[in-house]
Amino acid sequence: MRGAARARSIAVADSLASAAVEPLLAGRFGRPYRYEQSCESTQLLLEGATEGAVAVCDEQTSGRGRLGRSWQAPSGTAILCSILVRPPAARRMPELSLVGGMAAADAVEQALGLTAQIKWPNDVMVNRRKVAGVLAEARNGAVTLGVGLNVNQTRDELPADPPSPAASLRTIDGVERDRAPILAVLLDRVEARYDAWCGAGLDAIYDFLGARDFLRGRRVAVDGLEGYAVGIDRQGRLEIDTDRGRRSFESGEVRYER
Ligand code: BTN
């Protein structure tokens, strides 16, 4: 099967093949645009690419999540993409997950007309469920920013027991969507948020982030330390008030009270 072939059909025209997506792209990101029907992981397709190069597929045989987890979505149901960036040396790499997360939140908000939140450091949440995740992998000064955005999965097609309960745009509002325009918005927003961050660091996006901080005020545990999340600081770390005082985390696995 070629290009736009899908494992099942949906009610709308839907393809992430070059012919469907490239005409919708207005900026630098998505050039070059590489589409594969199936691949191991889009994170592996951008070695040596120039900034703004994008790899997209309909199905991953070994999709990667954060902290060594896998990332799964039935063929043709989600946006699975990776974007290659080459950030200035002055910028802090851990902040890139937040930059990507905010761009994904922009795209989700535009598609749904609902406010999305960011669960530090990389999850996009709507109605307390995770609709998208970001994976930033650095190598030789380049960062591959992977975004998985759940679009048309039914409830049964979402992971059964993920660390955060999962949702797709479809399970939130019942609408099946063409993924191409959502991907085009996503790439446009990644470019805009990334450019702002390159120029001014996290300050460029800090207010947006604060207004969408999912964990703030929640009872959380990070790497075994429990407390209440204070928020994300100016360096992109999660601050927690614990019995032993305030602690900041650069990375880690956050569990939260639901
Ligand atoms: C997470 O929430 O753990 C991050 C998930 C990132 C998944 C995306 S899907 C496209 C890209 N290719 C991968 O193998 N992973 C990322």
Side-chain angles (χ1 to χ4, degrees):
M1 294 209 284
R2 292 194 60 233
R6 297 169 46 88
R8 59 175 199 167
S9 62
I10 66 166
V12 292
D14 175 55
S15 167
L16 295 180
S18 305
V21 176
E22 288 199 72
L24 306 178
L25 302 178
R28 322 191 307 280
F29 281 27
R31 300 174 202 285
Y33 180 88
R34 176 171 175 185
Y35 167 80
E36 302 284 340
Q37 198 276 323
S38 178
C39 68
E40 192 177 332
S41 161
T42 55
Q43 294 291 96
L44 302 173
L45 300 180
L46 295 172
E47 180 84 43
T50 51
E51 180 161 286
V54 164
V56 173
C57 73
D58 268 315
E59 136 187 308
Q60 297 184 123
T61 55
S62 194
R64 302 175 180 184
R66 251 185 99 239
L67 305 171
R69 296 200 182 99
S70 65
W71 183 265
Q72 282 160 357
S75 181
T77 60
I79 290 174
L80 308 168
C81 78
S82 297
I83 303 143
L84 199 286
V85 291
R86 297 184 177 276
R91 293 286 159 250
R92 298 181 69 254
M93 296 299 152
E95 296 173 3
L96 259 177
S97 287
L98 293 167
V99 173
M102 285 199 314
D106 291 338
V108 165
E109 290 189 355
Q110 183 154 330
L112 282 174
L114 295 173
T115 301
Q117 289 183 296
I118 291 161
K119 177 178 156 281
W120 182 91
N122 72 320
D123 294 348
V124 179
M125 315 286 286
V126 176
N127 297 344
R128 299 164 151 250
R129 290 178 177 270
K130 176 169 173 172
V131 290
V134 174
L135 175 67
E137 295 182 306
R139 199 165 162 209
N140 300 331
V143 179
T144 308
L145 209 50
V147 182
L149 199 167
N150 298 331
V151 179
N152 287 322
Q153 289 103 317
T154 61
R155 220 173 287 279
D156 292 347
E157 290 172 330
L158 292 166
D161 191 20
S164 295
S168 68
L169 302 184
R170 180 178 177 184
T171 63
I172 292 166
D173 68 0
V175 176
E176 283 187 82
R177 292 174 166 83
D178 180 1
R179 289 167 297 157
I182 302 171
L183 175 59
V185 170
L186 174 67
L187 296 179
D188 180 69
R189 296 312 300 155
V190 174
E191 183 175 332
R193 295 292 188 190
Y194 171 75
D195 284 349
W197 174 77
C198 285
L202 207 62
D203 282 355
I205 50 178
Y206 194 70
D207 290 347
F208 178 96
L209 199 54
R212 285 167 174 74
D213 185 347
F214 176 80
L215 293 174
R216 180 184 289 156
R218 285 184 199 270
R219 180 95 188 146
V220 296
V222 186
D223 300 339
L225 257 190
E226 286 188 26
Y228 286 93
V230 178
I232 299 165
D233 72 11
R234 294 249 165 211
Q235 279 72 48
R237 297 175 298 221
L238 181 67
E239 287 192 316
I240 298 178
D241 274 344
T242 73
D243 292 345
R244 285 179 258 162
R246 190 162 286 186
R247 297 279 189 275
S248 297
F249 294 84
E250 284 274 356
S251 65
E253 162 79 341
V254 186
R255 298 187 185 284
Y256 59 95
E257 228 163 58
R258 292 183 191 161

